[in-house]
Amino acid sequence: MRVVFMGTPDFSVPTLTEIVSAGHDVVAVYTRAPKPAGRGQEERKSPVHLAAEAFGIPVYTPKSLKGEAEQIIFASHGAEVGVVVAYGLLLPKPILDAPEYGCLNLHGSLLPRWRGAAPIQRAVMAGDRETGVMVMQMEEGLDTGPVALIDMIPIGPDMTAGELHDQMMRVGADLIGRALAALERGSLDFKSQREDGAIYAKKIEKAEARIDWSRPADEVHNHIRGLSPFPGAWFELELGGKPTRIKALRSTLGQGAGAPGTLLDNLTIACGTGAVRLTQVQREGKGAMDAATFLRGAGTLPPTVS
């Protein structure tokens, strides 16, 4: 099929690769424009941009698709279908309607639960025990379109958002491959989403990252793993006589109890109820390390964290 692919981060690359490998004609790739990054502030192309160039596919990086000129260019590709995976720009109706079969979106949740920007992190932070990836037909509403295919994914008790992201990335690429094969055969059927149970996965804000040790241990644990590896839940610990920010990257439920923030033992920290044991942390200005390595280098620890 003639496909226009639209995506930006690492998450999108396996799907683009799957589409190309299946023999579809990807006539254009749309991705976010290069951004200044690093110390030299050199413009850095997105992972999808680099992958498309490696495949020899024309790349388009408009700042918006709301203008008539960009919409005419998009329609000129003559695509039978658009495939959208974490693109990052809103698609107005003329874009959604331009391909013969519209635009398919790969979404990382069990819609209508966790519509919106951060479904992977929000599912983990909420303590969900399962999630999934879905192929849906895009509409003007936010993740409201009818769904065609679903693959379920269990969320383990200590699974991080990063681990779930990587699993979804692989499962989702296969799901889009199956969806395009079914569409080509004329057998891709869609079912409308129910409206009950709709929950929105709002964007992760920096202010959310600080750990609140007064919350129950299971909520603190879910908060830590839901923000790992990025942006990373954090707390402050006094080291060398000054407060030091520590990111908690991995944790598990621990044993013991005490006033919230009390260091019980081996980076086990008391919460509002119960305790959380940190198994991987990152000291400010340092790389990630396991708890034992951190403790060897930290010296004498204070009785509490904040």
Side-chain angles (χ1 to χ4, degrees):
M1 301 188 74
R2 284 177 63 85
V3 178
V4 168
F5 184 83
M6 311 178 84
T8 297
D10 288 322
F11 185 84
S12 314
V13 173
T15 304
L16 174 59
T17 302
E18 172 66 26
I19 294 170
V20 172
S21 299
H24 297 290
D25 182 14
V26 183
V27 294
V29 163
Y30 280 71
T31 189
R32 297 297 297 269
K35 292 183 177 181
R39 291 184 179 178
Q41 291 293 288
E42 295 181 2
E43 288 199 337
R44 184 174 296 173
K45 297 176 179 177
S46 76
V48 164
H49 195 144
L50 296 173
E53 288 185 338
F55 287 127
I57 303 169
V59 177
Y60 297 81
T61 59
K63 292 183 178 179
S64 170
L65 289 165
K66 295 179 181 179
E68 184 179 1
E70 289 296 345
Q71 293 170 8
I72 290 172
I73 292 171
F74 187 88
S76 73
H77 301 310
E80 293 173 90
V81 64
V83 174
V84 183
V85 184
Y87 177 36
L89 284 183
L90 292 175
L91 304 187
K93 196 171 188 303
I95 297 293
L96 296 174
D97 293 346
E100 181 181 353
Y101 296 105
C103 293
L104 302 180
N105 176 238
L106 181 69
H107 185 79
S109 82
L110 297 178
L111 294 167
R113 186 171 177 82
W114 303 128
R115 292 172 175 168
I120 298 176
Q121 293 96 328
R122 294 296 178 190
V124 178
M125 291 170 75
D128 291 0
R129 295 185 178 183
E130 66 177 5
T131 185
V133 282
M134 290 183 157
V135 174
M136 58 174 285
Q137 184 87 46
M138 295 186 72
E139 299 178 340
E140 287 186 275
L142 180 61
D143 300 328
T144 58
V147 174
L149 296 178
I150 305 170
D151 262 351
M152 307 290 288
I153 299 175
I155 304 176
D158 293 339
M159 190 180 211
T160 66
E163 291 169 332
L164 180 56
H165 168 282
D166 291 350
Q167 186 171 347
M168 278 189 176
M169 188 167 62
R170 297 187 295 269
V171 173
D174 176 72
L175 197 66
I176 285 287
R178 287 155 47 197
L180 290 180
L183 184 62
E184 199 168 19
R185 295 191 304 267
S187 60
L188 188 64
D189 297 322
F190 293 88
K191 183 178 180 180
S192 296
Q193 292 183 41
R194 67 183 193 279
E195 282 306 312
D196 61 300
I199 299 177
Y200 288 88
K202 65 178 182 178
K203 182 181 177 181
I204 303 294
E205 302 291 343
K206 288 183 179 180
E208 294 182 76
R210 185 161 192 166
I211 298 171
D212 179 0
W213 299 107
S214 69
R215 296 168 66 186
D218 59 342
E219 293 183 13
V220 173
H221 173 52
N222 294 338
H223 180 238
I224 289 168
R225 62 198 186 98
L227 296 183
S228 177
F230 183 83
W234 61 273
F235 61 98
E236 285 189 342
L237 178 66
E238 191 169 297
L239 296 175
K242 64 177 183 179
T244 303
R245 182 176 292 199
I246 309 291
K247 283 187 178 182
L249 299 179
R250 288 185 182 275
S251 61
T252 190
L253 293 177
Q255 299 294 319
T262 301
L263 267 167
L264 300 175
D265 113 89
N266 293 330
L267 281 191
T268 298
I269 302 171
C271 302
T273 56
V276 164
R277 181 167 62 87
L278 305 183
T279 58
Q280 186 183 52
V281 297
Q282 184 176 7
R283 184 173 174 174
E284 193 172 359
K286 306 287 184 179
M289 62 188 78
D290 60 41
T293 302
F294 171 81
L295 289 168
R296 282 196 299 270
T300 302
L301 298 181
T304 62
V305 303
S306 60

